Amino acid sequence: MKSVNAILYSAYKHHSTMKWLVGCDPIGTIWNESISDGYPGAISDPIQTLVTEILAQIPFGCAVEVDKGFLIENECILLGIHCIRPMKMLKGQTQQSKEDVALTQKVGKTRIPIEQAMSYLLQNFKLGFIQQHDGKTTNRPCKAEIRWYDGKDDGLFDVRPLIDLWGNQSEIKRWRELRVDPANAELSDTDISEIVLNEDWPSRLRKEHIERLSAL
């Protein structure tokens, strides 16, 4: 049986640690469900990503940017997600290719929000908030959130009628089909968007994707 120290020991930090997996959106907003429970420091990044099922929160067809240690391409493919990860130096490789260098630099620039978010959490760490969050919030909707409902706060702008700003290809196609249907002539663009949102196309597309993979 492993000792407590062996379970908590992090080969990266070189001492006993606990690990939390945290995700954020492109502007650094952390949502409640993206904060995992604490895991012993010996757990690897790919395993922690798998057991927390955080990838299931990412809509079908979207991309996730991760650090070099997150070798999760296979898990992302199964869920219809594109994984963007900086290229690691291969064994015996003295210099990366021009393409790999460009990708690494691009990912590094776009990873600034998550680094800032992590810095904020470390500076304002509260164990009760991390461990005992209930997944609910009473705060006002985030200004960056696209699919918000009934937001009344100043600065919020309802983009539901603007399908091209938030819809994937299937949602945009479906929205336009509903818009030209004579039966929906009295519905507003917002009403049409609500119908599309309630149909939950990301989940439907992911289900179809998994069924196609299972048939191979």
PDB file of all heavy atoms in Angstrom, residues 165-187:
ATOM      1  N   LEU A 165     -23.129  35.328 -34.254  1.00  0.00           N
ATOM      2  CA  LEU A 165     -22.143  35.617 -33.212  1.00  0.00           C
ATOM      3  C   LEU A 165     -21.902  34.428 -32.296  1.00  0.00           C
ATOM      4  O   LEU A 165     -20.831  34.319 -31.692  1.00  0.00           O
ATOM      5  CB  LEU A 165     -22.597  36.819 -32.375  1.00  0.00           C
ATOM      6  CG  LEU A 165     -22.554  38.197 -33.040  1.00  0.00           C
ATOM      7  CD1 LEU A 165     -22.976  39.266 -32.046  1.00  0.00           C
ATOM      8  CD2 LEU A 165     -21.161  38.494 -33.564  1.00  0.00           C
ATOM      9  N   TRP A 166     -22.889  33.543 -32.157  1.00  0.00           N
ATOM     10  CA  TRP A 166     -22.728  32.490 -31.160  1.00  0.00           C
ATOM     11  C   TRP A 166     -23.054  31.090 -31.662  1.00  0.00           C
ATOM     12  O   TRP A 166     -22.686  30.102 -31.025  1.00  0.00           O
ATOM     13  CB  TRP A 166     -23.598  32.775 -29.932  1.00  0.00           C
ATOM     14  CG  TRP A 166     -25.060  32.972 -30.233  1.00  0.00           C
ATOM     15  CD1 TRP A 166     -25.693  34.156 -30.421  1.00  0.00           C
ATOM     16  CD2 TRP A 166     -26.058  31.963 -30.384  1.00  0.00           C
ATOM     17  NE1 TRP A 166     -27.023  33.962 -30.679  1.00  0.00           N
ATOM     18  CE2 TRP A 166     -27.283  32.610 -30.664  1.00  0.00           C
ATOM     19  CE3 TRP A 166     -26.046  30.573 -30.312  1.00  0.00           C
ATOM     20  CZ2 TRP A 166     -28.464  31.928 -30.870  1.00  0.00           C
ATOM     21  CZ3 TRP A 166     -27.243  29.881 -30.528  1.00  0.00           C
ATOM     22  CH2 TRP A 166     -28.433  30.551 -30.797  1.00  0.00           C
ATOM     23  N   GLY A 167     -23.711  30.964 -32.795  1.00  0.00           N
ATOM     24  CA  GLY A 167     -24.134  29.633 -33.249  1.00  0.00           C
ATOM     25  C   GLY A 167     -23.049  28.872 -33.987  1.00  0.00           C
ATOM     26  O   GLY A 167     -22.197  29.471 -34.654  1.00  0.00           O
ATOM     27  N   ASN A 168     -23.069  27.541 -33.851  1.00  0.00           N
ATOM     28  CA  ASN A 168     -22.212  26.727 -34.702  1.00  0.00           C
ATOM     29  C   ASN A 168     -22.906  26.548 -36.054  1.00  0.00           C
ATOM     30  O   ASN A 168     -24.017  27.034 -36.270  1.00  0.00           O
ATOM     31  CB  ASN A 168     -21.882  25.376 -34.046  1.00  0.00           C
ATOM     32  CG  ASN A 168     -23.115  24.564 -33.706  1.00  0.00           C
ATOM     33  OD1 ASN A 168     -24.069  24.503 -34.484  1.00  0.00           O
ATOM     34  ND2 ASN A 168     -23.106  23.914 -32.537  1.00  0.00           N
ATOM     35  N   GLN A 169     -22.262  25.868 -36.990  1.00  0.00           N
ATOM     36  CA  GLN A 169     -22.804  25.772 -38.341  1.00  0.00           C
ATOM     37  C   GLN A 169     -24.192  25.135 -38.358  1.00  0.00           C
ATOM     38  O   GLN A 169     -25.090  25.592 -39.083  1.00  0.00           O
ATOM     39  CB  GLN A 169     -21.846  24.975 -39.234  1.00  0.00           C
ATOM     40  CG  GLN A 169     -20.542  25.699 -39.515  1.00  0.00           C
ATOM     41  CD  GLN A 169     -19.633  24.903 -40.441  1.00  0.00           C
ATOM     42  OE1 GLN A 169     -19.912  23.753 -40.769  1.00  0.00           O
ATOM     43  NE2 GLN A 169     -18.533  25.510 -40.846  1.00  0.00           N
ATOM     44  N   SER A 170     -24.374  24.076 -37.569  1.00  0.00           N
ATOM     45  CA  SER A 170     -25.673  23.398 -37.534  1.00  0.00           C
ATOM     46  C   SER A 170     -26.750  24.303 -36.940  1.00  0.00           C
ATOM     47  O   SER A 170     -27.896  24.309 -37.408  1.00  0.00           O
ATOM     48  CB  SER A 170     -25.570  22.100 -36.723  1.00  0.00           C
ATOM     49  OG  SER A 170     -24.689  21.187 -37.343  1.00  0.00           O
ATOM     50  N   GLU A 171     -26.390  25.058 -35.902  1.00  0.00           N
ATOM     51  CA  GLU A 171     -27.357  25.968 -35.281  1.00  0.00           C
ATOM     52  C   GLU A 171     -27.728  27.095 -36.230  1.00  0.00           C
ATOM     53  O   GLU A 171     -28.901  27.498 -36.313  1.00  0.00           O
ATOM     54  CB  GLU A 171     -26.774  26.532 -33.981  1.00  0.00           C
ATOM     55  CG  GLU A 171     -26.701  25.505 -32.869  1.00  0.00           C
ATOM     56  CD  GLU A 171     -25.968  26.023 -31.659  1.00  0.00           C
ATOM     57  OE1 GLU A 171     -25.003  26.781 -31.820  1.00  0.00           O
ATOM     58  OE2 GLU A 171     -26.358  25.659 -30.535  1.00  0.00           O
ATOM     59  N   ILE A 172     -26.741  27.629 -36.952  1.00  0.00           N
ATOM     60  CA  ILE A 172     -27.027  28.707 -37.903  1.00  0.00           C
ATOM     61  C   ILE A 172     -27.935  28.200 -39.021  1.00  0.00           C
ATOM     62  O   ILE A 172     -28.908  28.873 -39.413  1.00  0.00           O
ATOM     63  CB  ILE A 172     -25.711  29.258 -38.486  1.00  0.00           C
ATOM     64  CG1 ILE A 172     -24.901  29.959 -37.389  1.00  0.00           C
ATOM     65  CG2 ILE A 172     -25.988  30.222 -39.637  1.00  0.00           C
ATOM     66  CD1 ILE A 172     -23.530  30.409 -37.825  1.00  0.00           C
ATOM     67  N   LYS A 173     -27.645  27.004 -39.519  1.00  0.00           N
ATOM     68  CA  LYS A 173     -28.477  26.419 -40.574  1.00  0.00           C
ATOM     69  C   LYS A 173     -29.906  26.203 -40.086  1.00  0.00           C
ATOM     70  O   LYS A 173     -30.879  26.542 -40.778  1.00  0.00           O
ATOM     71  CB  LYS A 173     -27.869  25.098 -41.037  1.00  0.00           C
ATOM     72  CG  LYS A 173     -28.670  24.399 -42.125  1.00  0.00           C
ATOM     73  CD  LYS A 173     -28.013  23.081 -42.522  1.00  0.00           C
ATOM     74  CE  LYS A 173     -28.848  22.364 -43.585  1.00  0.00           C
ATOM     75  NZ  LYS A 173     -28.227  21.061 -43.969  1.00  0.00           N
ATOM     76  N   ARG A 174     -30.035  25.643 -38.875  1.00  0.00           N
ATOM     77  CA  ARG A 174     -31.345  25.387 -38.305  1.00  0.00           C
ATOM     78  C   ARG A 174     -32.100  26.691 -38.072  1.00  0.00           C
ATOM     79  O   ARG A 174     -33.302  26.793 -38.340  1.00  0.00           O
ATOM     80  CB  ARG A 174     -31.184  24.621 -36.990  1.00  0.00           C
ATOM     81  CG  ARG A 174     -32.473  24.383 -36.222  1.00  0.00           C
ATOM     82  CD  ARG A 174     -33.469  23.560 -37.008  1.00  0.00           C
ATOM     83  NE  ARG A 174     -34.607  23.196 -36.185  1.00  0.00           N
ATOM     84  CZ  ARG A 174     -35.779  22.798 -36.664  1.00  0.00           C
ATOM     85  NH1 ARG A 174     -35.963  22.709 -37.981  1.00  0.00           N
ATOM     86  NH2 ARG A 174     -36.763  22.476 -35.850  1.00  0.00           N
ATOM     87  N   TRP A 175     -31.415  27.719 -37.576  1.00  0.00           N
ATOM     88  CA  TRP A 175     -32.031  29.014 -37.298  1.00  0.00           C
ATOM     89  C   TRP A 175     -32.611  29.611 -38.580  1.00  0.00           C
ATOM     90  O   TRP A 175     -33.735  30.125 -38.587  1.00  0.00           O
ATOM     91  CB  TRP A 175     -30.988  29.955 -36.705  1.00  0.00           C
ATOM     92  CG  TRP A 175     -31.540  31.235 -36.145  1.00  0.00           C
ATOM     93  CD1 TRP A 175     -31.892  31.475 -34.857  1.00  0.00           C
ATOM     94  CD2 TRP A 175     -31.779  32.458 -36.854  1.00  0.00           C
ATOM     95  NE1 TRP A 175     -32.340  32.765 -34.703  1.00  0.00           N
ATOM     96  CE2 TRP A 175     -32.283  33.394 -35.927  1.00  0.00           C
ATOM     97  CE3 TRP A 175     -31.627  32.851 -38.179  1.00  0.00           C
ATOM     98  CZ2 TRP A 175     -32.627  34.691 -36.284  1.00  0.00           C
ATOM     99  CZ3 TRP A 175     -31.967  34.143 -38.546  1.00  0.00           C
ATOM    100  CH2 TRP A 175     -32.458  35.053 -37.603  1.00  0.00           C
ATOM    101  N   ARG A 176     -31.849  29.533 -39.653  1.00  0.00           N
ATOM    102  CA  ARG A 176     -32.316  30.101 -40.917  1.00  0.00           C
ATOM    103  C   ARG A 176     -33.484  29.309 -41.495  1.00  0.00           C
ATOM    104  O   ARG A 176     -34.382  29.891 -42.128  1.00  0.00           O
ATOM    105  CB  ARG A 176     -31.147  30.161 -41.905  1.00  0.00           C
ATOM    106  CG  ARG A 176     -30.101  31.209 -41.502  1.00  0.00           C
ATOM    107  CD  ARG A 176     -28.863  31.168 -42.360  1.00  0.00           C
ATOM    108  NE  ARG A 176     -27.932  32.230 -41.958  1.00  0.00           N
ATOM    109  CZ  ARG A 176     -26.674  32.300 -42.358  1.00  0.00           C
ATOM    110  NH1 ARG A 176     -26.182  31.378 -43.172  1.00  0.00           N
ATOM    111  NH2 ARG A 176     -25.898  33.298 -41.956  1.00  0.00           N
ATOM    112  N   GLU A 177     -33.489  27.998 -41.275  1.00  0.00           N
ATOM    113  CA  GLU A 177     -34.626  27.193 -41.719  1.00  0.00           C
ATOM    114  C   GLU A 177     -35.896  27.611 -40.994  1.00  0.00           C
ATOM    115  O   GLU A 177     -36.973  27.747 -41.599  1.00  0.00           O
ATOM    116  CB  GLU A 177     -34.347  25.707 -41.476  1.00  0.00           C
ATOM    117  CG  GLU A 177     -33.304  25.101 -42.395  1.00  0.00           C
ATOM    118  CD  GLU A 177     -32.985  23.674 -42.008  1.00  0.00           C
ATOM    119  OE1 GLU A 177     -33.458  23.229 -40.932  1.00  0.00           O
ATOM    120  OE2 GLU A 177     -32.255  22.994 -42.773  1.00  0.00           O
ATOM    121  N   LEU A 178     -35.780  27.816 -39.687  1.00  0.00           N
ATOM    122  CA  LEU A 178     -36.936  28.228 -38.896  1.00  0.00           C
ATOM    123  C   LEU A 178     -37.377  29.643 -39.245  1.00  0.00           C
ATOM    124  O   LEU A 178     -38.573  29.952 -39.229  1.00  0.00           O
ATOM    125  CB  LEU A 178     -36.598  28.136 -37.405  1.00  0.00           C
ATOM    126  CG  LEU A 178     -36.373  26.732 -36.834  1.00  0.00           C
ATOM    127  CD1 LEU A 178     -35.840  26.810 -35.415  1.00  0.00           C
ATOM    128  CD2 LEU A 178     -37.666  25.927 -36.875  1.00  0.00           C
ATOM    129  N   ARG A 179     -36.402  30.499 -39.566  1.00  0.00           N
ATOM    130  CA  ARG A 179     -36.735  31.892 -39.852  1.00  0.00           C
ATOM    131  C   ARG A 179     -37.563  32.048 -41.124  1.00  0.00           C
ATOM    132  O   ARG A 179     -38.444  32.917 -41.203  1.00  0.00           O
ATOM    133  CB  ARG A 179     -35.436  32.704 -39.968  1.00  0.00           C
ATOM    134  CG  ARG A 179     -35.600  34.199 -40.206  1.00  0.00           C
ATOM    135  CD  ARG A 179     -36.195  34.943 -39.030  1.00  0.00           C
ATOM    136  NE  ARG A 179     -37.633  34.717 -38.832  1.00  0.00           N
ATOM    137  CZ  ARG A 179     -38.336  35.183 -37.822  1.00  0.00           C
ATOM    138  NH1 ARG A 179     -37.760  35.897 -36.879  1.00  0.00           N
ATOM    139  NH2 ARG A 179     -39.633  34.944 -37.717  1.00  0.00           N
ATOM    140  N   VAL A 180     -37.285  31.226 -42.145  1.00  0.00           N
ATOM    141  CA  VAL A 180     -38.017  31.351 -43.414  1.00  0.00           C
ATOM    142  C   VAL A 180     -39.295  30.520 -43.432  1.00  0.00           C
ATOM    143  O   VAL A 180     -40.066  30.591 -44.391  1.00  0.00           O
ATOM    144  CB  VAL A 180     -37.114  30.939 -44.609  1.00  0.00           C
ATOM    145  CG1 VAL A 180     -35.904  31.841 -44.700  1.00  0.00           C
ATOM    146  CG2 VAL A 180     -36.684  29.474 -44.481  1.00  0.00           C
ATOM    147  N   ASP A 181     -39.531  29.734 -42.378  1.00  0.00           N
ATOM    148  CA  ASP A 181     -40.744  28.930 -42.305  1.00  0.00           C
ATOM    149  C   ASP A 181     -41.946  29.847 -42.069  1.00  0.00           C
ATOM    150  O   ASP A 181     -41.980  30.595 -41.088  1.00  0.00           O
ATOM    151  CB  ASP A 181     -40.623  27.922 -41.153  1.00  0.00           C
ATOM    152  CG  ASP A 181     -41.772  26.922 -41.135  1.00  0.00           C
ATOM    153  OD1 ASP A 181     -42.807  27.188 -41.774  1.00  0.00           O
ATOM    154  OD2 ASP A 181     -41.626  25.876 -40.472  1.00  0.00           O
ATOM    155  N   PRO A 182     -42.950  29.826 -42.959  1.00  0.00           N
ATOM    156  CA  PRO A 182     -44.130  30.694 -42.792  1.00  0.00           C
ATOM    157  C   PRO A 182     -44.825  30.518 -41.454  1.00  0.00           C
ATOM    158  O   PRO A 182     -45.441  31.457 -40.935  1.00  0.00           O
ATOM    159  CB  PRO A 182     -45.039  30.273 -43.958  1.00  0.00           C
ATOM    160  CG  PRO A 182     -44.111  29.697 -44.978  1.00  0.00           C
ATOM    161  CD  PRO A 182     -43.038  29.031 -44.205  1.00  0.00           C
ATOM    162  N   ALA A 183     -44.725  29.322 -40.886  1.00  0.00           N
ATOM    163  CA  ALA A 183     -45.379  29.070 -39.600  1.00  0.00           C
ATOM    164  C   ALA A 183     -44.760  29.887 -38.474  1.00  0.00           C
ATOM    165  O   ALA A 183     -45.378  30.067 -37.418  1.00  0.00           O
ATOM    166  CB  ALA A 183     -45.307  27.580 -39.263  1.00  0.00           C
ATOM    167  N   ASN A 184     -43.542  30.395 -38.677  1.00  0.00           N
ATOM    168  CA  ASN A 184     -42.850  31.163 -37.643  1.00  0.00           C
ATOM    169  C   ASN A 184     -42.821  32.654 -37.951  1.00  0.00           C
ATOM    170  O   ASN A 184     -42.013  33.388 -37.377  1.00  0.00           O
ATOM    171  CB  ASN A 184     -41.411  30.647 -37.492  1.00  0.00           C
ATOM    172  CG  ASN A 184     -41.357  29.197 -37.081  1.00  0.00           C
ATOM    173  OD1 ASN A 184     -42.196  28.734 -36.320  1.00  0.00           O
ATOM    174  ND2 ASN A 184     -40.373  28.469 -37.595  1.00  0.00           N
ATOM    175  N   ALA A 185     -43.675  33.098 -38.831  1.00  0.00           N
ATOM    176  CA  ALA A 185     -43.642  34.490 -39.281  1.00  0.00           C
ATOM    177  C   ALA A 185     -43.849  35.480 -38.136  1.00  0.00           C
ATOM    178  O   ALA A 185     -43.303  36.588 -38.152  1.00  0.00           O
ATOM    179  CB  ALA A 185     -44.697  34.713 -40.366  1.00  0.00           C
ATOM    180  N   GLU A 186     -44.641  35.092 -37.134  1.00  0.00           N
ATOM    181  CA  GLU A 186     -44.935  36.007 -36.032  1.00  0.00           C
ATOM    182  C   GLU A 186     -43.895  35.948 -34.918  1.00  0.00           C
ATOM    183  O   GLU A 186     -43.969  36.732 -33.967  1.00  0.00           O
ATOM    184  CB  GLU A 186     -46.318  35.697 -35.466  1.00  0.00           C
ATOM    185  CG  GLU A 186     -47.459  35.921 -36.455  1.00  0.00           C
ATOM    186  CD  GLU A 186     -48.819  35.691 -35.825  1.00  0.00           C
ATOM    187  OE1 GLU A 186     -48.845  35.358 -34.621  1.00  0.00           O
ATOM    188  OE2 GLU A 186     -49.841  35.841 -36.532  1.00  0.00           O
ATOM    189  N   LEU A 187     -42.946  35.035 -35.032  1.00  0.00           N
ATOM    190  CA  LEU A 187     -41.913  34.913 -33.997  1.00  0.00           C
ATOM    191  C   LEU A 187     -40.787  35.911 -34.263  1.00  0.00           C
ATOM    192  O   LEU A 187     -40.414  36.162 -35.401  1.00  0.00           O
ATOM    193  CB  LEU A 187     -41.345  33.498 -33.976  1.00  0.00           C
ATOM    194  CG  LEU A 187     -42.308  32.369 -33.619  1.00  0.00           C
ATOM    195  CD1 LEU A 187     -41.593  31.023 -33.647  1.00  0.00           C
ATOM    196  CD2 LEU A 187     -42.943  32.600 -32.248  1.00  0.00           C
TER     197      LEU A 187
END
